[in-house]
Amino acid sequence: MLTILGFAMIATFLVLIMLKKMSPIAALVLIPALFCVFVGKGAKLGDYVLDGVTSLAPTAAMLMFAIVYFGVMIDVGLFDPIVRGILRFCKADPLRIVIGTAVLAAVVSLDGDGSTTFMITVSAMYPLYKRLKMSLVVMTGVAAMANGVMNTLPWGGPTARAATALKLDAGDIFVPMIPALAAGLLFVFALAYVLGRRERKRLGVLTLDEVLVEEPEPETVLVGGGSGKSDGKGAGSGGGDRATAVRTGGAGSGTDADAPEDEEDGLQGLDPQRPTLRPRLYWFNALFTVALLTAMIMEWLPIPVLFLLGAALALTVNFPHMPDQKARLGAHAENVLNVSGMVFAAAVFTGVLQGTGMVDHMAKWLVDNIPDGMGPHMAFVTGVLSIPLTYFMSNDGFYFGILPVLAEAGHAHGVSSLEIARASLVGQPLHMSSPLVPAVYVLVGMAKVEFGDHTRFVVKWAALTSLVVLGAGILFGII
């Protein structure tokens, strides 16, 4: 009976959030509470919830302050030189532009929020793709895959969800996975190189004076209004002529001496005049961020403590006045509330699933139906299953509904929960293009790409990236 109710609870949860009949937070709270009553243990619901909240509080704190920290770093301009450097590197060479897209998306993904990553990446790169007539699905595909690999950072979501669902430390899951994830990221860069060469072959290498021309249709101003400047420059320098693809001796080898200035002024994506910039504190912020990430990897302090201290110090140094601090906290409050609220709501779901014994009965049923030869390889099975399951369901559904069952099944065959948790991250490169991920709509919307076109292009490459991560994990003995 508990087995049936357990699967029914998970199925109800998945159906409601995939059909968008309930928000993940509401579903994580109300559905398990209702099923707890059905099981006949409604009187113990409070104990289940409090036990879950107590165990999940460090994870929620980590996510809250990591979002604040990296949000502040973006506000003060820590990543602005990186964006400008990538634009200078790209010039008008399609190969460099695609590689630059992958690098920029990977770097900005350090903030752990897919929507922010896609906004910054598209804002910086869209004018280049548009004016060179490059394929925009290449931009969206490469950005989504790079973000998918980097989304496995402890504060990105999946790792925190895995740690939450299995009551593990996020650092113990993530740090050993770094070599496998690095292999996946290198594969994305290699794929960007291949796709860039394809675009270069199709278009040739253009010079900046040929591409900084007026577009026949107005462009949407993205972040910082860079497109507006581009149109102005184009109107003055191009005379309305269309850009034509001509081959040159190398990337950015045009003869116009003012080309670098045009590139800086006409194709800049971030607002260089926003009032939150702190140029005098740039090196402090850069070194402090490096030190913070080093401390996280070396595990000098628990990750929640590191980001709590980091966010407090970053706010105090960059915004010493209270009104400014409140404004920055308010600017990032929505992301903080959504993520931390999800973690605490998950305490109800995981608490009921485990406290009532449903997960044990479900795991026993699953173990009884797994061939004996596959039991010791549950980590591999989890990695393979994570690719389609995290695409067709949300991370909430997979990590809170499916992963605990797989972990229990693996435990019965001597496979540790840590191995299962690490393998569960394999599907993230494909997950970031799932129709259930809100950030992907930010990506395709700003890039003016049809979601169907993006899906047809990215699915095969993202699935291959996931398999590379899985293979590297097995090769390095991580999974």
Side-chain angles (χ1 to χ4, degrees), residues 126-465:
Y126 177 84
L128 287 172
Y129 280 82
K130 186 71 173 178
R131 297 185 189 287
L132 270 67
K133 314 299 181 186
M134 292 177 62
S135 172
L136 291 171
V137 295
V138 171
M139 177 181 67
T140 60
V142 168
M145 287 184 287
N147 178 253
V149 176
M150 296 297 291
N151 193 46
T152 56
L153 292 166
W155 54 90
T159 302
R161 286 178 172 89
T164 297
L166 302 183
K167 292 183 171 57
L168 300 171
D169 183 81
D172 293 338
I173 298 173
F174 173 73
V175 174
M177 278 292 289
I178 290 177
L181 296 171
L185 191 59
L186 287 175
F187 178 79
V188 172
F189 292 155
L191 179 60
Y193 177 83
V194 173
L195 296 173
R197 282 183 62 88
R198 183 185 299 176
E199 287 295 286
R200 176 194 275 178
K201 183 178 181 180
R202 183 173 67 89
L203 296 171
V205 180
L206 308 182
T207 54
L208 288 173
D209 58 328
E210 291 169 321
V211 300
L212 288 174
V213 297
E214 184 177 11
E215 291 292 328
E217 59 181 359
E219 293 184 13
T220 302
V221 175
L222 301 174
V223 177
S227 297
K229 291 183 180 181
S230 299
D231 291 342
K233 287 281 183 183
S237 62
D241 296 334
R242 293 178 58 86
T244 57
V246 294
R247 299 189 181 277
T248 65
S253 58
T255 58
D256 189 350
D258 295 331
E261 180 180 349
D262 288 342
E263 179 182 12
E264 284 292 311
D265 294 339
L267 295 177
Q268 187 161 342
L270 293 173
D271 182 5
Q273 305 298 330
R274 59 188 188 277
T276 58
L277 290 176
R278 297 294 185 268
R280 294 183 179 179
L281 294 172
Y282 178 80
W283 286 112
F284 167 81
N285 289 320
L287 294 175
F288 184 61
T289 299
V290 171
L292 184 65
L293 295 177
T294 301
M296 183 205 74
I297 294 173
M298 300 300 295
E299 301 182 18
W300 291 339
L301 284 174
I303 295 177
V305 176
L306 288 172
F307 278 113
L308 192 154
L309 296 174
L313 185 58
L315 276 171
T316 302
V317 173
N318 289 282
F319 302 98
H321 302 294
M322 283 294 296
D324 294 334
Q325 292 184 16
K326 290 181 179 179
R328 290 303 91 214
L329 290 173
H332 305 292
E334 182 177 359
N335 285 336
V336 170
L337 179 60
N338 288 338
V339 175
S340 60
M342 177 274 298
V343 173
F344 285 121
V348 183
F349 194 94
T350 58
V352 170
L353 198 63
Q354 296 176 358
T356 59
M358 285 190 286
V359 69
D360 295 328
H361 284 74
M362 294 164 63
K364 184 177 183 302
W365 180 87
L366 187 59
V367 169
D368 292 341
N369 287 274
I370 293 177
D372 292 335
M374 293 302 298
H377 306 289
M378 278 302 298
F380 172 77
V381 172
T382 300
V384 172
L385 290 177
S386 71
I387 299 174
L389 290 181
T390 56
Y391 183 79
F392 291 111
M393 65 175 63
S394 69
N395 271 342
D396 295 325
F398 177 73
Y399 286 102
F400 297 126
I402 303 299
L403 186 60
V405 178
L406 295 173
E408 288 291 333
H411 184 71
H413 290 276
V415 181
S416 70
S417 296
L418 275 173
E419 291 181 81
I420 298 294
R422 292 166 189 162
S424 70
L425 303 179
V426 164
Q428 289 306 303
L430 178 59
H431 169 76
M432 285 310 299
S433 293
S434 166
L436 302 178
V437 176
V440 75
Y441 296 107
V442 176
L443 175 64
V444 298
M446 291 183 66
K448 300 178 182 177
V449 171
E450 292 293 332
F451 181 78
D453 295 336
H454 171 78
T455 300
R456 283 191 294 273
F457 174 81
V458 79
V459 165
K460 57 183 180 294
W461 299 119
L464 187 57
T465 304

Side-chain angles (χ1 to χ4, degrees), residues 68-137:
V68 171
Y69 179 83
F70 282 106
V72 168
M73 290 299 107
I74 291 174
D75 292 339
V76 300
L78 178 62
F79 299 109
D80 286 24
I82 298 174
V83 173
R84 290 194 294 268
I86 289 175
L87 292 178
R88 285 194 296 267
F89 164 79
C90 292
K91 297 184 179 178
D93 182 1
L95 172 59
R96 293 188 177 197
I97 290 171
V98 178
I99 295 176
T101 301
V103 172
L104 179 59
V107 171
V108 181
S109 293
L110 287 171
D111 80 327
D113 179 66
S115 298
T116 301
T117 297
F118 294 147
M119 284 190 290
I120 293 177
T121 302
V122 175
S123 297
M125 306 306 296
Y126 177 84
L128 287 172
Y129 280 82
K130 186 71 173 178
R131 297 185 189 287
L132 270 67
K133 314 299 181 186
M134 292 177 62
S135 172
L136 291 171
V137 295

